[in-house]
Amino acid sequence: MASTPPGQRRMQILQALAEMLEQPKGEKITTAALARKLEFSEAALYRHFASKAQMFEGLIEFIESSVFGLINRIAERQSDGLAQARDIVGMLLNFASQNPGMTRVLTGDALVNEDERLQLRMNQFYDRVELALKQALRLAVTEGQVHEADVQARAGMLVSFVIGRWHRYAKSGFKNNPAQDAPLQIALLLPYVEDER
C-alpha cells in the first residue's frame, strides 16, 4: 500500500476542514470531529499541523494566495481603474460563492474562540484588499474618472459592501448568493465614467 505524500495529506486535511465549514449550522469544529471525517486519528492530524490554529492558517494562506493572485491578474489585464475596482469586487463576491466554507473564514465566524492571531491576520487581509481597491481608484483618478478626495472613502465602502455580502451569505446558510445581482450593485457603487463627468 503506497503512503500518501505529506503535502497531499495536508491538503486533504484542509479540504476536509473547508467542507466542515460549509455546514449551515456552523457548529464549532473540533480536531476529534475532523479526524473522524478523515477516518484517522487526532495524532495523525498533529503530525501534519501543530495545532488547529495552524490548520486555519493553512486555509487563510489558501485564501490569500488565491485572492491576491486574482487581484494581480486583474491589474495586469485591466488598464482602466474603475473597471479594475469593479472586477476586484466581483471576484471577491464570486470567490465566496464558489467557496462557502472559506466564506466563514473570510467573515471571521469560523475563527471565534480560536487563536486571536487568526482574526488579526484576516484584518490584515481586509486592509490589503482595501489597498488594492485604493490603487485601482487612484488609477481612475489619473484617468479623470473619480476625485482623489473620494478614493479612501470609496475603497472603504467597497470593502464594507463585500464583507456585508459575505456575512449575509454565511448567515443565510449559504442561500443568499453574494454574487447575485452583483453587476448592478457594483454599478450603483462605482458609476461608469459618463456618470462622473
Side-chain angles (χ1 to χ4, degrees), residues 98-136:
Q98 293 167 8
N99 299 283
M102 300 293 183
T103 303
R104 292 194 51 226
V105 176
L106 287 165
T107 62
D109 289 354
L111 307 178
V112 173
N113 300 321
E114 300 297 339
D115 190 311
E116 71 179 45
R117 79 176 185 272
L118 298 170
Q119 188 56 60
L120 291 174
R121 187 156 173 188
M122 286 313 304
N123 292 345
Q124 291 171 340
F125 171 85
Y126 306 144
D127 291 344
R128 287 178 65 195
V129 167
E130 187 169 344
L131 181 62
L133 287 165
K134 283 180 186 174
Q135 288 172 336

Side-chain angles (χ1 to χ4, degrees), residues 37-51:
K37 180 174 177 59
L38 290 162
E39 298 178 352
F40 53 77
S41 69
E42 282 185 76
L45 285 178
Y46 289 116
R47 278 197 291 279
H48 300 283
F49 293 96
S51 65

Side-chain angles (χ1 to χ4, degrees), residues 12-86:
Q12 287 175 334
I13 293 167
L14 293 177
Q15 286 172 337
L17 177 57
E19 286 171 17
M20 290 176 79
L21 289 169
E22 290 178 18
Q23 299 311 309
K25 295 277 187 243
E27 284 138 27
K28 184 168 170 55
I29 294 172
T30 64
T31 52
L34 182 58
R36 268 194 310 278
K37 180 174 177 59
L38 290 162
E39 298 178 352
F40 53 77
S41 69
E42 282 185 76
L45 285 178
Y46 289 116
R47 278 197 291 279
H48 300 283
F49 293 96
S51 65
K52 189 165 66 160
Q54 204 176 69
M55 293 176 206
F56 278 111
E57 282 179 333
L59 290 181
I60 293 170
E61 285 168 13
F62 170 80
I63 290 168
E64 289 172 339
S65 67
S66 299
V67 166
F68 294 112
L70 291 168
I71 286 174
N72 289 339
R73 247 185 271 155
I74 289 167
E76 289 167 10
R77 186 187 71 230
Q78 185 58 263
S79 60
D80 178 275
L82 277 179
Q84 263 186 37
R86 278 189 204 97

